[in-house]
Amino acid sequence: MAKVEDEVIEAHVKQLLSRMTLKEKVGQMTQIERQVATSAAIKDLSIGSIFSAPGSLPVEKASPSDWADMVDGFQRSALESRLGIPLIYGTDAVHGNGNVFGATIFPHNVGLGATRDADLARRIGVATALEARACGIHYTFAPCVAVCKDPRWGRCYESYSEDTEIVGKMTSIVSGLQGQPPQGYPKGYPFVAGRNNIIASAKHFVGEGGTEKGVNEGNNISSYDDLERIHMRPYLDCISQGVSTIMVSYNSWNGQRLHGHNFLLTEILKDKLGFRGFVISDWDGIDQLCEPEGSNYRLCISLAINAGIDMVMVPFRYEQFIEELIYLVESGEIPMSRIDDAVERILRVKFVAGLFEHPFTDTSLQDIVGCKMHRDLAREAVRRSLVLLKNGKDPMEPFLPLERKAKRILIAGTHADDLGNQCGGWTATKYGSSGRITIGTTILEAIKKAVGDDTEIIYEKYPSTETLARQDITFAIVAVGEAPYAEGKGDNSKLVIPLNGADIISSVADKIPSLVILISGRPLVLEPWLLEKIDALVAAWLPGTEGDGIADVIFGDHDFEGQLPVTWFKRVEQLPVNAGDNSYDPLYPLGFGLACNKERC
C-alpha cells in the first residue's frame, strides 16, 4: 500500500513541477516571517512557507481561533495563486506549542532525557501536534536531536543528553508529531499520518552540540568518523521514522559552515542516508556564508543552494532573495536540476502532509489547547524527569519525602513562584521571560495544593532575617536557578547559580532544614561548602507549566525516577567532561539518580 501511495504522490509532484515557472519554483523555496507576508506576495510569488518567529502573534494573547483565522487567511491567498499550491505554516513548538498563550508547556528536552522514556516522548509529540494543528499550524521546528557535550552551550537544554544512545531513543517524538509510518514504508521518504499530525524537523544538522568550548554557532573540530558516530546517528533514527524535514545548523565543522557544506548536506544526508524530505536553513543562516555576514548575498545564496538547501528561511528580505536566486539560475551558477530537486522535495512533503486535500484548520480541535489530558501528561513528564541528587545529610536518615502535614513550611527563592522561570526559553518569546507569561501552576501554588489544611505556608522570595530566626518552621523549600535564555545569549563560561542563588540557599539552609530545587537547563556549579548545608537536592531542569509534578514527588505520592542525562561536573575547569573520558571525575555521573520510597532510600 505504501509503495502505491508513494508512486501516486511522485506522479502528482512531477506533474505539478512540469507546470511551474522558475519564479514559482523559487517562491516555493522561500519561507518568510508572517509580519511581512502579504496576500499579493503570497499569490504573485507562490511563497512556499510562512512562519511565526517566537513572540510573533496575530494579536496579544491570541486564542487558537485567532491563530487559525490568521493561518487560514494566508492559506486562502496561496490557493488563489496561479497553481493553487498550499503553503506550510511553521512555528517553534519545541516543548509544546509555546508561542500560543495557554498551551501546555512540557519540560524542555534535557528533562525528558532524564526520563529515558521513548513512549513518553512519543505521547508528548502527539499532544504537541494536536495543540499546533488546533491553531492552524502545520509544521514545527522540532525536535532538536543535538548531542550536548558541553553545558556551557546556551542550547544545552534543547538536547536530550550527552549520550548518543539516549538522544536516539528520544527521537520517538518524531513518530508522535508525524504519526507512525506503516511497516514497509519506503526508507527516507517523508511521512505524516493525517490531519491530527504535524510536519517535524530534526535539527540542527550536524554537530552543534560538540562545538569548541560549547560556543553557540561555533566550530566542531572532529573527524568524520566521530561526527557520524556521535552527532549524526540520531538523524538516522529520525529518517527511519519518516521525518519530513531537516534543519541545517549554524555551526561549522572543521572551519566550514554547515549552511554551505555540500559534502554533508548532499553527499551524506541526501545521497548516503537517503533522506527524501526537504532540507531547510535556519533563520538567515545562509548569510553566515560570507564576511561580513550577508554582505555578498548573491554568493551566500549560491553556496547554500548548491550545497543542498531546499527551503530558505529568509524572514524579511525575501524579495531580494527571490530576485537573486532567479538571476543565479538564469546565469547558470545554480543548475535547474538543483532547483527542481528542491521543489520536488517541498511538494512531496506538502502532498504527504495532506495539505492539498485539507489546506484549512480543523476547528473541532481548538478546545484541546491546554486541556486537562495534556496538562496531566506534562505533569507526568515533570515528575518523571526530576533527578534526586542528595537526600539527607546522613544516608541513614533520608530527608525526603516531605511531611505534607507539617505545621509550618517556608517557601523561598527566585523560582518558587515564577512560571516564566519554570518554562525557560522558547516560551511566549524566543528568550522567554520571568513572570506570569502563560497559564500554569508554579511550584508554590503546587505545594499549597499538596499540603494539609492545617499547614501554614510562609512565602518569601528573599527570606528576612526575622523569618530565618524563627524556631517554629518545620522545613524550607528553596527554588532557585537560571533565568530564561536561548541560543548564544545562554552561552555561559562560569555556570554559577545566577540571581544570588547560592546565597539564598546558604542563608536558608544555615537556619532551617532545607530541600533545594534547582531550576536550570544544565548542570551548574555546586560548591562542596554549599552541598554540605543542603539536606536534599533535586534537579528539576526546566519543567514547564505543570508545577504539580514537583509536588507529586517531593511529598511522596510518586517516587523519583529521573537519571542524569548529562554529567554533573565538579568545576568548570574540567569542561568538557563526559562519560567515557579517561579522567572521568564528575560530581555526579551520567545516569545518577537516587530513589526514595517509603520502604527504602
Side-chain angles (χ1 to χ4, degrees), residues 538-559:
V538 173
W541 314 110
L542 297 169
T545 51
E546 306 312 303
D548 289 315
I550 293 174
D552 288 341
V553 180
I554 63 175
F555 288 106
D557 293 333
H558 295 266
D559 200 1

Side-chain angles (χ1 to χ4, degrees), residues 259-464:
H259 275 79
H261 214 298
N262 179 272
F263 171 70
L264 290 175
L265 299 185
T266 296
E267 293 183 40
I268 299 300
L269 178 58
K270 291 182 176 180
D271 297 342
K272 181 180 177 181
L273 303 185
F275 175 62
R276 296 183 67 190
F278 69 77
V279 175
I280 184 169
S281 80
D282 208 335
W283 173 293
D284 279 340
I286 69 169
D287 293 33
Q288 295 184 338
L289 298 178
C290 54
E291 296 287 346
E293 214 170 279
S295 54
N296 187 341
Y297 198 41
R298 185 177 292 173
L299 176 62
C300 293
I301 295 167
S302 177
L303 291 170
I305 303 302
N306 280 325
I309 291 176
D310 303 310
M311 182 178 280
V312 178
M313 187 186 288
V314 51
F316 304 120
R317 54 169 168 172
Y318 65 92
E319 290 168 307
Q320 183 187 355
F321 170 77
I322 289 171
E323 182 182 307
E324 298 280 20
L325 182 48
I326 289 171
Y327 171 85
L328 287 163
V329 178
E330 290 178 339
S331 67
E333 288 186 50
I334 296 176
M336 183 60 80
S337 59
R338 173 73 273 274
I339 299 298
D340 287 347
D341 171 59
V343 179
E344 279 184 9
R345 290 167 176 275
I346 293 162
L347 294 177
R348 181 179 295 136
V349 169
K350 291 185 176 187
F351 277 111
V352 162
L355 291 178
F356 284 87
E357 295 87 354
H358 302 290
F360 297 116
T361 308
D362 180 356
T363 56
S364 69
L365 295 174
Q366 288 178 354
D367 288 344
I368 210 162
V369 175
C371 68
K372 184 178 185 301
M373 181 172 69
H374 291 173
R375 291 189 183 277
D376 286 347
L377 174 61
R379 181 174 180 169
E380 176 192 349
V382 172
R383 66 176 179 249
R384 297 182 63 197
S385 69
L386 303 177
V387 179
L388 181 58
L389 297 175
K390 180 178 179 179
N391 190 18
K393 292 176 178 175
D394 181 343
M396 302 306 294
E397 296 181 22
F399 190 71
L400 299 177
L402 299 173
E403 173 54 59
R404 69 173 72 244
K405 293 182 180 178
K407 183 177 180 183
R408 193 166 288 106
I409 303 170
L410 171 65
I411 312 295
T414 50
H415 289 56
D417 192 32
D418 195 305
L419 198 60
N421 285 353
Q422 228 170 265
C423 291
W426 305 103
T427 315
T429 61
K430 176 177 175 177
Y431 298 108
S433 60
S434 301
R436 183 65 61 170
I437 61 171
T438 189
I439 297 168
T441 304
T442 67
I443 295 169
L444 174 64
E445 291 165 339
I447 291 169
K448 285 181 174 178
K449 286 193 280 181
V451 298
D453 293 339
D454 296 329
T455 299
E456 180 188 351
I457 298 287
I458 300 169
Y459 168 61
E460 293 179 16
K461 184 186 285 190
Y462 306 105
S464 65

Side-chain angles (χ1 to χ4, degrees), residues 488-539:
K489 289 194 176 181
D491 283 2
N492 188 329
S493 61
K494 296 185 177 169
L495 295 176
V496 297
I497 304 172
L499 308 171
N500 297 317
D503 291 342
I504 297 170
I505 294 169
S506 179
S507 64
V508 177
D510 270 343
K511 303 290 186 181
I512 303 165
S514 297
L515 160 65
V516 172
I517 300 171
L518 190 60
I519 306 292
S520 67
R522 53 196 162 190
L524 300 174
V525 173
L526 294 169
E527 298 282 6
W529 65 266
L530 187 64
L531 268 175
E532 286 171 12
K533 295 185 179 190
I534 296 168
D535 292 274
L537 175 63
V538 173

Side-chain angles (χ1 to χ4, degrees), residues 195-234:
R195 296 185 72 188
N196 290 347
N197 297 98
I198 189 171
I199 298 162
S201 183
K203 67 181 190 183
H204 304 83
F205 192 83
V206 61
E208 60 175 346
T211 60
E212 199 173 14
K213 298 182 180 178
V215 172
N216 191 52
E217 305 181 15
N219 191 22
N220 181 314
I221 302 170
S222 62
S223 67
Y224 174 76
D225 286 347
D226 282 349
L227 187 74
E228 185 177 61
R229 178 179 58 85
I230 298 168
H231 299 284
M232 204 177 292
R233 277 178 54 200

